[in-house]
Amino acid sequence: MSPPRSGRAAPCRPRGEILLSRPRGREAEGALAGFGRTHDVGDLGASALGREVVVCGWVEDVRRMGSSMAFLTVRDQTGVVQAVARGEACGALAGLTRQSAVSVAGTVKETRARGGGVEVEAARIDVLGRAAGRLPIDPTGRLESGLDNRLNARALDLRSPRTAAVFRLRHRALAAIRGSLSGAGFTEITTPKIIGSASEGGADLFPLEYFGRGAYLAQSPQLYKEQATMGLGRVYEISSFYRAEKSHTGRHLSEFTSVDVEAAFADHEDVMGTLESVVAAAAAAAAPGGAGAPGGGLPRPPPVPFERIAYSRAVDELASEGEAVEFGDDLADAHLRVLGRRHPGFYFITDWPLALKPFYIREGADDPDLSRSFDLQYGHLELSSGGMRLHDPEALRSRLAAQGLDPAGFGGHLASFSWGMPPHSGWGLGLDRLVTVLAGLDNVREAVLYPRDPDRLTP
RNA sequence: GCCCUUGUAGUAUAGCCCGGUCUAGAAUUCGGCCCUGUCACGGCUGAGACGCGGGUUCAAAUCCCGCCGAGGGCGCCA
């Protein structure tokens, strides 16, 4: 984008290379002072043999061999390397604690360490940020700290390769989701998180004061994304949303990340296909990191299409398992666990009773008591729900009233439906839950950097 | 909102059921000393804990009650 600012920067930098990333090769040589890093640890290999390099990272171990020789292992986000300090460089290690931030300047040599590879014969080691002697968690994972302590010290926890792997996986999944949707002609939008009225029913909202007026944190972009289809056709949003539910489970958060999709001139089947593509793309992108995460993640990308199970069939299956569910009952978690046992992996539950669905969901094509709707499950975990929407303003108005909501509170929204609203469909996908599944985690808090739940507001 | 489980050094734990053996144990971390090819280095050594408040008892880490924290489940919800 912008031209290189530093006169020292290499000319003809390949397009797309980030300016602050490592200068490689000859231009890096001789940079032995300060923290003029020349390499990420992961880039040290046979090709660097004999080079003078500067690497920066965090001290994982210090092994002192007498007063004038020590080995330390230094980890950065790309890997771990052993440095050997002798003489003066070793003297600089007095008082050095594990997990301190250091720069190591030295020469790359073949190592005699187990496992082979290279090491850095240190000419100089600078302690750039000293770590306290006793840390609230052990980021090396030798002693696995409890989740509460890890979250309280999340910044340090992030130094743990296991934890870092989860967030790299999340990053790859997000990139794949954006790529999938963008490739399918969806435009990414951002809708307000501060809203004026509790317009959707359903979950409780967080109230807040907005210049002397009452307002709320948005629970979903539902109404805005539907409106946006009128001009942009296919839209999606990936944002945080807020639910003031006092849920104490391993799968609920007060602040969660939702992937929301809405498409004009599409029915529920169309967007189910979109959802399958998105989930498959995310799973494929996540796969390389799955092994590094607890539980190992998914064994391989899931086959599509996902199985479709009509709600009525789910009720029958539950009856055959001795679970009494009346047609029209919502499926409780215990029921979903039974279904999840019978259908491990991804599957849809479709054709829900209309009464169980929000006001904007369209009735069934053949049965007005059913709906053109679906939930995407992974085992017993609900990942997504969506469907075809009502696009006729009169139908929407009467459904609002039927659900006990005041159409007057939806004036602006209803008005937009008289400006040529296309038939449209969409879904919302819980990204944190998807990452939980893809990384093989058992608590959604692990998949969120700084999770918010009814009992946790910090850090 | 309801229910269950659980709180021991910085971390992760043993001990609790069945009160006295606990002056609370092992590991790791941290401090000191020794060690020039280690690799979770090793050796010697030191420091460090029963969540808080009541109660029962001759005696409480252990049993009871309350509070606080944590984990899970139900409900709600995605």
Side-chain angles (χ1 to χ4, degrees):
Chain A
M1 292 271 278
S2 57
R5 265 175 228 142
S6 160
R8 195 169 85 75
C12 304
R13 183 177 299 282
R15 182 179 289 272
E17 183 170 341
I18 297 167
L19 194 56
L20 287 178
S21 75
R22 49 202 102 112
R24 288 169 200 265
R26 226 169 269 142
E27 63 181 298
E29 288 184 15
L32 279 172
F35 46 90
R37 170 159 59 173
T38 64
H39 290 71
D40 283 342
V41 167
D43 291 335
L44 294 177
S47 65
L49 279 172
R51 289 245 169 79
E52 292 187 338
V53 301
V54 178
V55 294
C56 297
W58 296 273
V59 176
E60 193 156 278
D61 268 319
V62 186
R63 296 185 284 271
R64 297 171 206 273
M65 305 290 129
S67 58
S68 59
M69 182 191 189
F71 298 94
L72 53 161
T73 45
V74 176
R75 180 180 292 282
D76 71 3
Q77 67 278 9
T78 64
V80 62
V81 70
Q82 173 168 275
V84 188
R86 287 179 232 261
E88 207 170 301
C90 184
L93 301 184
L96 178 66
T97 48
R98 286 174 168 80
Q99 297 302 327
S100 291
V102 297
S103 69
V104 178
T107 308
V108 179
K109 304 169 63 175
E110 279 185 42
T111 187
R112 278 181 265 167
R114 187 186 305 149
V118 303
E119 67 187 14
V120 178
E121 177 77 35
R124 172 171 174 169
I125 296 172
D126 288 308
V127 179
L128 305 177
R130 187 178 185 277
R134 286 185 164 152
L135 298 169
I137 60 170
D138 170 17
T140 69
R142 289 165 191 171
L143 284 175
E144 196 171 344
S145 297
L147 184 56
D148 193 48
N149 281 333
R150 287 174 50 208
L151 292 177
N152 286 336
R154 191 56 137 165
L156 182 57
D157 181 45
L158 215 45
R159 203 174 291 160
S160 144
R162 271 162 83 94
T163 304
V166 171
F167 289 97
R168 291 203 192 92
L169 182 156
R170 183 178 166 117
H171 159 75
R172 290 195 305 273
L174 263 174
I177 289 167
R178 285 200 162 93
S180 175
L181 289 169
S182 187
F186 285 80
T187 298
E188 182 164 5
I189 61 172
T190 306
T191 64
K193 301 300 163 289
I194 302 174
I195 58 175
S197 60
S199 52
E200 276 190 67
D204 289 331
L205 304 187
F206 286 104
L208 61 91
E209 196 216 271
Y210 190 75
F211 302 117
R213 286 190 287 165
Y216 301 91
L217 289 178
Q219 64 171 162
S220 96
Q222 183 64 34
L223 306 187
Y224 294 111
K225 68 175 179 174
E226 287 191 54
Q227 292 186 27
T229 63
M230 296 182 68
L232 296 173
R234 293 189 288 276
V235 299
Y236 74 100
E237 173 165 16
I238 303 176
S239 287
S240 295
F241 292 97
Y242 304 87
R243 306 273 165 98
E245 305 286 345
K246 285 199 172 180
S247 298
H248 295 96
T249 75
R251 59 191 182 279
H252 289 88
L253 295 168
S254 307
E255 178 178 61
F256 68 104
T257 306
S258 181
V259 179
D260 270 274
V261 158
E262 204 68 30
F265 307 110
D267 67 13
H268 53 299
E269 296 282 354
D270 294 326
V271 294
M272 286 166 80
T274 304
L275 180 52
E276 284 168 332
S277 299
V278 162
V279 170
L298 293 175
R300 56 184 133 72
V304 289
F306 302 147
E307 187 180 12
R308 267 84 163 151
I309 302 169
Y311 166 89
S312 57
R313 187 181 133 203
V315 169
D316 290 343
E317 286 192 15
L318 288 168
S320 76
E321 297 268 352
E323 297 279 346
V325 183
E326 294 289 320
F327 187 91
D329 289 348
D330 206 352
L331 301 183
D333 194 64
H335 303 136
L336 293 175
R337 284 178 194 278
V338 172
L339 288 176
R341 263 203 310 279
R342 294 172 61 103
H343 306 277
F346 295 99
Y347 62 98
F348 286 108
I349 303 177
T350 65
D351 300 281
W352 290 77
L354 186 63
L356 294 177
K357 287 292 163 183
F359 66 87
Y360 46 79
I361 288 287
R362 193 157 175 192
E363 77 285 350
D366 304 317
D367 183 344
D369 291 329
L370 294 180
S371 63
R372 282 173 251 191
S373 65
F374 56 87
D375 282 5
L376 177 65
Q377 299 285 135
Y378 181 80
H380 76 276
L381 187 63
E382 181 181 343
L383 295 178
S384 170
S385 74
M388 190 169 187
R389 323 300 195 186
L390 287 171
H391 70 287
D392 175 66
E394 285 316 309
L396 196 55
R397 199 169 272 120
S398 57
R399 279 294 303 291
L400 279 167
Q403 296 214 352
L405 296 164
D406 181 6
F410 295 80
H413 184 61
L414 284 164
S416 73
F417 275 56
S418 63
W419 302 334
M421 177 60 83
H424 57 284
S425 300
W427 42 260
L429 168 70
L431 179 73
D432 312 308
R433 287 185 177 184
L434 179 65
V435 172
T436 303
V437 167
L438 296 180
L441 305 170
D442 53 18
N443 191 317
V444 72
R445 291 167 183 80
E446 296 224 42
V448 177
L449 197 48
Y450 292 101
R452 290 287 176 265
D453 64 43
D455 298 313
R456 179 177 285 282
L457 191 52
T458 57

